[in-house]
Short mmCIF file of all heavy atoms in Angstrom, two decimals:
data_model
loop_
_atom_site.label_atom_id
_atom_site.label_comp_id
_atom_site.label_asym_id
_atom_site.label_seq_id
_atom_site.Cartn_x
_atom_site.Cartn_y
_atom_site.Cartn_z
N ILE V 3 60.20 107.94 205.89
CA ILE V 3 61.34 108.28 205.12
C ILE V 3 61.81 107.07 204.47
O ILE V 3 62.22 106.03 205.19
CB ILE V 3 62.45 109.00 205.83
CG1 ILE V 3 61.93 110.33 206.40
CG2 ILE V 3 63.66 109.25 204.98
CD1 ILE V 3 62.86 111.08 207.20
N ILE V 5 64.67 105.30 201.88
CA ILE V 5 66.03 105.57 201.28
C ILE V 5 66.33 104.54 200.22
O ILE V 5 66.20 103.29 200.35
CB ILE V 5 67.19 105.28 202.36
CG1 ILE V 5 66.96 106.38 203.59
CG2 ILE V 5 68.50 105.49 201.82
CD1 ILE V 5 67.89 106.02 204.73
N CYS V 10 73.77 105.18 198.33
CA CYS V 10 73.43 106.40 198.94
C CYS V 10 74.40 106.70 200.09
O CYS V 10 74.64 105.92 200.99
CB CYS V 10 72.07 106.26 199.62
SG CYS V 10 71.44 107.71 200.43
N PRO V 11 75.07 107.91 200.00
CA PRO V 11 76.04 108.30 200.94
C PRO V 11 75.57 108.90 202.21
O PRO V 11 76.24 109.18 203.19
CB PRO V 11 76.91 109.28 200.22
CG PRO V 11 75.93 110.01 199.21
CD PRO V 11 75.00 108.88 198.87
N VAL V 12 74.25 109.12 202.40
CA VAL V 12 73.65 109.73 203.54
C VAL V 12 72.71 108.89 204.34
O VAL V 12 71.78 109.38 205.05
CB VAL V 12 72.92 111.16 203.18
CG1 VAL V 12 74.07 112.11 202.65
CG2 VAL V 12 71.93 110.89 202.08
N ILE V 13 72.88 107.56 204.26
CA ILE V 13 72.05 106.64 205.01
C ILE V 13 72.07 106.96 206.45
O ILE V 13 71.03 107.13 207.07
CB ILE V 13 72.43 105.14 204.71
CG1 ILE V 13 72.13 104.82 203.26
CG2 ILE V 13 71.78 104.23 205.64
CD1 ILE V 13 72.55 103.41 202.80
N ASP V 14 73.19 107.00 207.11
CA ASP V 14 73.33 107.21 208.47
C ASP V 14 72.71 108.57 208.91
O ASP V 14 72.04 108.64 209.91
CB ASP V 14 74.73 107.02 209.01
CG ASP V 14 75.21 105.57 208.79
OD1 ASP V 14 74.45 104.61 209.00
OD2 ASP V 14 76.44 105.38 208.51
N LEU V 15 73.00 109.56 208.16
CA LEU V 15 72.50 110.96 208.43
C LEU V 15 70.96 110.91 208.30
O LEU V 15 70.35 111.53 209.19
CB LEU V 15 73.16 111.89 207.50
CG LEU V 15 72.80 113.40 207.67
CD1 LEU V 15 73.02 113.89 209.10
CD2 LEU V 15 73.60 114.24 206.71
N THR V 16 70.39 110.30 207.35
CA THR V 16 68.96 110.20 207.23
C THR V 16 68.37 109.47 208.31
O THR V 16 67.27 109.96 208.93
CB THR V 16 68.63 109.51 205.87
OG1 THR V 16 69.25 110.21 204.79
CG2 THR V 16 67.07 109.48 205.60
N ILE V 17 68.86 108.36 208.77
CA ILE V 17 68.25 107.57 209.88
C ILE V 17 68.44 108.38 211.15
O ILE V 17 67.40 108.37 211.86
CB ILE V 17 69.20 106.26 210.05
CG1 ILE V 17 68.91 105.28 208.85
CG2 ILE V 17 68.72 105.58 211.32
CD1 ILE V 17 69.77 104.21 208.81
N MET V 19 68.29 111.66 211.45
CA MET V 19 67.31 112.65 211.33
C MET V 19 65.89 112.11 211.55
O MET V 19 65.05 112.68 212.22
CB MET V 19 67.31 113.33 209.95
CG MET V 19 68.60 114.16 209.69
SD MET V 19 68.63 115.79 210.36
CE MET V 19 67.20 116.55 209.58
N ILE V 67 58.72 110.69 202.28
CA ILE V 67 59.83 111.34 201.69
C ILE V 67 60.81 110.13 201.20
O ILE V 67 60.96 109.11 201.92
CB ILE V 67 60.60 112.06 202.79
CG1 ILE V 67 59.85 113.20 203.32
CG2 ILE V 67 61.97 112.55 202.23
CD1 ILE V 67 60.36 113.92 204.48
N CYS V 68 61.32 110.38 199.98
CA CYS V 68 62.30 109.39 199.46
C CYS V 68 63.68 110.13 199.18
O CYS V 68 63.71 111.19 198.67
CB CYS V 68 61.78 108.91 198.16
SG CYS V 68 62.94 107.87 197.28
N VAL V 69 64.66 109.52 199.70
CA VAL V 69 66.05 110.00 199.50
C VAL V 69 66.68 109.20 198.37
O VAL V 69 66.81 108.01 198.55
CB VAL V 69 66.95 109.92 200.85
CG1 VAL V 69 68.28 110.37 200.52
CG2 VAL V 69 66.28 110.70 201.95
N THR V 70 66.93 109.82 197.24
CA THR V 70 67.48 109.10 196.06
C THR V 70 68.29 110.08 195.28
O THR V 70 68.03 111.29 195.17
CB THR V 70 66.38 108.52 195.24
OG1 THR V 70 66.90 107.76 194.14
CG2 THR V 70 65.41 109.44 194.71
N LEU V 87 64.28 113.95 197.58
CA LEU V 87 65.44 114.81 197.65
C LEU V 87 66.65 113.98 197.41
O LEU V 87 66.64 112.78 197.67
CB LEU V 87 65.58 115.64 198.89
CG LEU V 87 66.01 115.01 200.18
CD1 LEU V 87 66.48 116.06 201.07
CD2 LEU V 87 64.80 114.28 200.87
N ASN V 88 67.73 114.66 196.87
CA ASN V 88 68.97 113.86 196.69
C ASN V 88 69.88 114.01 197.92
O ASN V 88 69.65 114.79 198.78
CB ASN V 88 69.54 114.19 195.26
CG ASN V 88 70.30 115.52 195.31
OD1 ASN V 88 70.52 116.30 196.28
ND2 ASN V 88 70.74 115.90 194.07
N GLN V 89 71.07 113.37 197.77
CA GLN V 89 72.04 113.28 198.78
C GLN V 89 72.69 114.64 199.03
O GLN V 89 73.38 114.82 200.11
CB GLN V 89 73.09 112.19 198.50
CG GLN V 89 74.04 112.53 197.37
CD GLN V 89 73.47 112.31 195.97
OE1 GLN V 89 72.32 111.96 195.82
NE2 GLN V 89 74.26 112.57 195.02
N ASN V 90 72.48 115.51 198.15
CA ASN V 90 73.13 116.94 198.27
C ASN V 90 72.11 117.99 198.69
O ASN V 90 72.39 119.20 198.80
CB ASN V 90 73.82 117.35 197.01
CG ASN V 90 74.97 116.47 196.65
OD1 ASN V 90 75.66 115.86 197.47
ND2 ASN V 90 75.10 116.21 195.35
N GLY V 91 70.88 117.53 199.05
CA GLY V 91 69.88 118.48 199.52
C GLY V 91 68.94 118.97 198.48
O GLY V 91 68.11 119.83 198.76
N LEU V 92 69.13 118.69 197.25
CA LEU V 92 68.26 119.15 196.21
C LEU V 92 66.80 118.46 196.30
O LEU V 92 66.73 117.33 196.37
CB LEU V 92 68.72 118.81 194.80
CG LEU V 92 67.81 119.14 193.61
CD1 LEU V 92 67.53 120.66 193.56
CD2 LEU V 92 68.30 118.55 192.32
N ILE V 93 65.87 119.32 196.55
CA ILE V 93 64.41 118.78 196.66
C ILE V 93 63.93 118.77 195.21
O ILE V 93 63.86 119.83 194.55
CB ILE V 93 63.58 119.68 197.54
CG1 ILE V 93 64.23 119.59 199.02
CG2 ILE V 93 62.15 119.22 197.47
CD1 ILE V 93 63.50 120.53 199.93
N ARG V 125 82.81 113.62 198.45
CA ARG V 125 81.78 114.17 199.26
C ARG V 125 82.36 115.14 200.35
O ARG V 125 83.39 114.81 201.03
CB ARG V 125 81.00 112.97 200.03
CG ARG V 125 79.79 113.53 200.70
CD ARG V 125 78.58 112.56 200.66
NE ARG V 125 77.52 113.25 201.22
CZ ARG V 125 76.64 113.94 200.55
NH1 ARG V 125 76.77 114.05 199.30
NH2 ARG V 125 75.66 114.57 201.10
N ALA V 127 81.76 117.96 203.79
CA ALA V 127 80.87 118.15 205.04
C ALA V 127 79.85 119.14 204.56
O ALA V 127 78.69 119.11 205.25
CB ALA V 127 81.82 118.67 206.22
N GLU V 128 80.07 120.11 203.70
CA GLU V 128 79.12 121.15 203.28
C GLU V 128 77.90 120.45 202.60
O GLU V 128 76.74 120.87 202.78
CB GLU V 128 79.68 122.14 202.43
CG GLU V 128 80.69 123.10 203.09
CD GLU V 128 82.06 122.45 203.23
OE1 GLU V 128 82.38 121.47 202.51
OE2 GLU V 128 82.86 123.04 204.05
N GLN V 129 78.13 119.32 201.86
CA GLN V 129 77.09 118.68 201.15
C GLN V 129 76.24 117.93 202.24
O GLN V 129 74.94 117.96 202.16
CB GLN V 129 77.68 117.69 200.24
CG GLN V 129 78.21 118.28 198.89
CD GLN V 129 78.93 117.20 198.14
OE1 GLN V 129 79.87 116.49 198.61
NE2 GLN V 129 78.65 117.20 196.81
N ASN V 130 76.84 117.34 203.20
CA ASN V 130 76.10 116.76 204.36
C ASN V 130 75.19 117.71 204.99
O ASN V 130 74.07 117.48 205.39
CB ASN V 130 77.04 116.03 205.28
CG ASN V 130 77.59 114.68 204.72
OD1 ASN V 130 77.10 114.16 203.73
ND2 ASN V 130 78.71 114.32 205.30
N GLU V 131 75.76 118.91 205.24
CA GLU V 131 75.01 119.93 206.06
C GLU V 131 73.84 120.43 205.16
O GLU V 131 72.82 120.64 205.68
CB GLU V 131 75.94 121.08 206.43
CG GLU V 131 75.36 122.09 207.30
CD GLU V 131 74.81 121.58 208.65
OE1 GLU V 131 75.30 120.56 209.20
OE2 GLU V 131 73.84 122.17 209.19
N LYS V 132 74.11 120.64 203.95
CA LYS V 132 73.07 121.09 202.96
C LYS V 132 71.94 120.05 202.94
O LYS V 132 70.64 120.34 202.95
CB LYS V 132 73.57 121.44 201.63
CG LYS V 132 72.48 121.97 200.73
CD LYS V 132 72.90 122.48 199.41
CE LYS V 132 71.84 123.01 198.64
NZ LYS V 132 72.14 123.33 197.23
N PHE V 133 72.23 118.82 202.97
CA PHE V 133 71.30 117.67 202.92
C PHE V 133 70.49 117.75 204.19
O PHE V 133 69.26 117.66 204.17
CB PHE V 133 71.98 116.24 202.77
CG PHE V 133 70.96 115.21 202.98
CD1 PHE V 133 70.15 114.78 201.91
CD2 PHE V 133 70.94 114.45 204.11
CE1 PHE V 133 69.18 113.78 202.13
CE2 PHE V 133 70.01 113.50 204.41
CZ PHE V 133 69.15 113.08 203.42
N LYS V 134 71.17 117.76 205.35
CA LYS V 134 70.51 117.82 206.63
C LYS V 134 69.50 119.03 206.77
O LYS V 134 68.39 118.83 207.16
CB LYS V 134 71.53 117.85 207.76
CG LYS V 134 71.08 117.83 209.11
CD LYS V 134 72.17 117.94 210.08
CE LYS V 134 71.54 117.99 211.55
NZ LYS V 134 72.55 118.05 212.59
N ILE V 135 69.91 120.23 206.34
CA ILE V 135 69.01 121.33 206.32
C ILE V 135 67.83 121.16 205.39
O ILE V 135 66.61 121.43 205.78
CB ILE V 135 69.79 122.64 205.91
CG1 ILE V 135 70.75 122.98 206.99
CG2 ILE V 135 68.86 123.77 205.67
CD1 ILE V 135 71.82 124.02 206.60
N SER V 136 67.98 120.61 204.24
CA SER V 136 66.92 120.36 203.27
C SER V 136 65.96 119.35 203.87
O SER V 136 64.76 119.40 203.81
CB SER V 136 67.41 120.04 201.93
OG SER V 136 68.08 120.99 201.31
N LEU V 137 66.48 118.31 204.36
CA LEU V 137 65.63 117.16 204.97
C LEU V 137 64.76 117.68 206.11
O LEU V 137 63.59 117.57 206.18
CB LEU V 137 66.39 115.94 205.32
CG LEU V 137 65.61 114.77 205.96
CD1 LEU V 137 64.51 114.36 204.99
CD2 LEU V 137 66.51 113.68 206.33
N GLU V 138 65.42 118.52 206.98
CA GLU V 138 64.73 119.08 208.06
C GLU V 138 63.61 120.01 207.61
O GLU V 138 62.47 119.98 208.09
CB GLU V 138 65.68 119.76 209.00
CG GLU V 138 65.13 120.29 210.32
CD GLU V 138 66.15 120.77 211.27
OE1 GLU V 138 67.17 121.53 210.86
OE2 GLU V 138 65.97 120.45 212.43
N ASN V 139 63.97 120.93 206.64
CA ASN V 139 62.96 121.89 206.13
C ASN V 139 61.76 121.04 205.46
O ASN V 139 60.58 121.54 205.66
CB ASN V 139 63.61 122.85 205.03
CG ASN V 139 64.50 123.85 205.77
OD1 ASN V 139 64.43 124.14 206.95
ND2 ASN V 139 65.33 124.35 204.90
N LEU V 140 62.03 120.01 204.83
CA LEU V 140 61.03 119.30 204.16
C LEU V 140 60.14 118.57 205.17
O LEU V 140 58.90 118.62 205.09
CB LEU V 140 61.71 118.15 203.26
CG LEU V 140 60.78 117.39 202.29
CD1 LEU V 140 59.94 118.28 201.43
CD2 LEU V 140 61.63 116.42 201.41
#
Side-chain angles (χ1 to χ4, degrees):
I3 299 177
I5 301 172
C10 181
V12 291
I13 290 174
D14 295 326
L15 183 53
T16 304
I17 293 168
M19 296 277 300
I67 298 171
C68 175
V69 177
T70 183
L87 77 154
N88 78 4
Q89 72 279 2
N90 297 327
L92 173 68
I93 298 174
R125 187 147 186 89
E128 291 82 17
Q129 289 170 308
N130 286 340
E131 187 60 28
K132 185 173 180 191
F133 171 80
K134 184 178 175 181
I135 291 167
S136 291
L137 179 56
E138 187 169 44
N139 288 339
L140 190 52

